[in-house]
């Protein structure tokens, strides 16, 4: 119920004119105010629900990033090269401690008396064998690669025959006075790692060396087959 703006006569809310004095009444449209009030009461972007969703999104994003980083590290350290390199690191570390190291080797070779320090430099090469590599050692090979090492071709050929007869990973396919043909039966991967090392010589004097370690998995697991220093 409302009253007339002119004579205070009681009127219905929807009346536009007073039925007593005939005065025009003011509009009672409040829809805009109501709409503004509803809009004003709506949750803003900084509401607790909105903040919770934002926090969850951030936490989820961080989790995804950490998972990807962890996966990348896992893949990297599981590569054949890293597995082979860890064998060298463990071997040298145990040498420093004076512990048993034969488990890291696939063949017999002399260990350093005392390893003071070591540092990985680079991977010199990586080779993969499929058990079907065939090499022919003939006069052409002799003239091209080893003529300066062996005085005669006959001496070179005899040396190769003796070497491969004793090599359990090789099979001699042909053997005569002109050549020897050898198949490499190795299956697996082989790596050469270069290290800077400080060791002591037999007199106990510290010396610096560059050492190349050959590591392969021809026996089913990575082992050090030999090393060369200079």
């Amino acid at each position: 119920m409302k009253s007339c703006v002119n004579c205070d006569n009681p009127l219905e809310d929807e009346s536009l004119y007073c039925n007593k004095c005939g005065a025009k009444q003011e509009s009672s449209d409040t829809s805009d105010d109501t709409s503004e009030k509803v809009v004003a009461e709506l949750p803003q972007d900084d509401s607790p629900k909105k903040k919770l969703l934002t926090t969850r999104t951030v936490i989820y994003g961080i989790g995804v990033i950490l998972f990807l980083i962890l996966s990348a590290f896992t893949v990297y350290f599981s590569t054949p090269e890293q597995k082979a390199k860890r064998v060298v690191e463990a071997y040298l570390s145990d040498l420093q401690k004076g512990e048993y190291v034969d488990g890291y080797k696939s063949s017999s070779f002399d260990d350093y008396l005392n390893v003071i320090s070591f540092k990985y430099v680079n991977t010199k090469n990586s080779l993969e064998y499929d058990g079907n590599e065939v090499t022919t050692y003939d006069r052409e090979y002799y003239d091209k690669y080893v003529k300066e090492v062996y005085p005669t071709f006959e001496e070179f050929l005899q040396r190769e025959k003796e070497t491969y007869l004793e090599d359990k990973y090789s099979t001699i396919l042909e053997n005569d006075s002109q050549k020897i043909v050898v198949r490499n039966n190795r299956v697996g991967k082989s790596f050469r790692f270069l290290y800077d090392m400080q060791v002591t010589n037999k007199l106990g004097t510290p010396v610096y060396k560059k050492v190349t370690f050959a590591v392969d998995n021809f026996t089913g697991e990575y082992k050090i087959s030999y090393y060369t220093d200079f």
Side-chain angles (χ1 to χ4, degrees), residues 88 92 112 117-122 124 192-199 207-214 226-230:
V88 179
L92 294 175
Y112 290 105
S117 64
F118 59 89
K119 180 182 178 181
Y120 168 79
V121 178
N122 59 40
K124 299 188 68 175
R192 302 292 182 273
F193 301 112
L194 178 63
Y195 277 78
D196 280 334
M197 293 181 57
Q198 184 182 24
V199 300
V207 294
Y208 290 92
K209 291 179 175 289
K210 287 189 177 297
V211 184
T212 299
F213 292 92
Y226 66 88
Y227 70 81
T228 54
D229 57 24
F230 49 94

Side-chain angles (χ1 to χ4, degrees), residues 90-155:
Y91 166 74
L92 294 175
S93 179
D94 282 357
L95 270 182
Q96 283 183 313
K97 301 172 187 176
E99 297 182 359
Y100 178 79
V101 295
D102 283 356
Y104 301 111
K105 305 188 294 185
S106 62
S107 59
S108 177
F109 53 80
D110 293 334
D111 301 311
Y112 290 105
L113 294 177
N114 184 25
V115 175
I116 300 173
S117 64
F118 59 89
K119 180 182 178 181
Y120 168 79
V121 178
N122 59 40
T123 300
K124 299 188 68 175
N125 60 46
S126 171
L127 301 173
E128 187 164 358
Y129 297 87
D130 61 2
N132 295 310
E133 181 182 357
V134 175
T135 304
T136 299
Y137 299 96
D138 54 12
R139 186 169 292 278
E140 180 181 355
Y141 184 98
Y142 170 78
D143 291 338
K144 187 175 182 179
Y145 298 109
V146 295
K147 191 172 184 179
E148 302 299 324
V149 179
Y150 297 94
T152 67
F153 170 68
E154 289 73 21
E155 182 179 344

Side-chain angles (χ1 to χ4, degrees), residues 32-51:
D32 290 344
D33 292 341
T34 303
S35 298
E36 291 178 0
K37 184 177 180 181
V38 171
V39 171
E41 292 177 354
L42 288 175
Q44 302 301 310
D45 287 345
D46 58 351
S47 65
K49 183 177 181 180
K50 181 69 174 180
K51 289 181 178 178

Side-chain angles (χ1 to χ4, degrees), residues 21 57 65 81-82 94 110 132 135 156 184 194-195 224:
C21 67
T57 301
I65 293 173
E81 180 177 343
Q82 290 303 312
D94 282 357
D110 293 334
N132 295 310
T135 304
F156 158 70
N184 190 331
L194 178 63
Y195 277 78
I224 302 171

Side-chain angles (χ1 to χ4, degrees), residues 1-43:
M1 234 16 203
K2 66 179 180 178
S3 299
C4 174
V5 297
N6 181 50
C7 65
D8 287 334
N9 178 52
L11 301 174
E12 297 295 330
D13 288 340
E14 62 272 12
S15 299
L16 299 179
Y17 294 91
C18 178
N19 56 10
K20 182 177 180 181
C21 67
K24 184 177 180 179
Q25 306 301 304
E26 294 179 356
S27 175
S28 61
D29 186 5
T30 60
S31 59
D32 290 344
D33 292 341
T34 303
S35 298
E36 291 178 0
K37 184 177 180 181
V38 171
V39 171
E41 292 177 354
L42 288 175

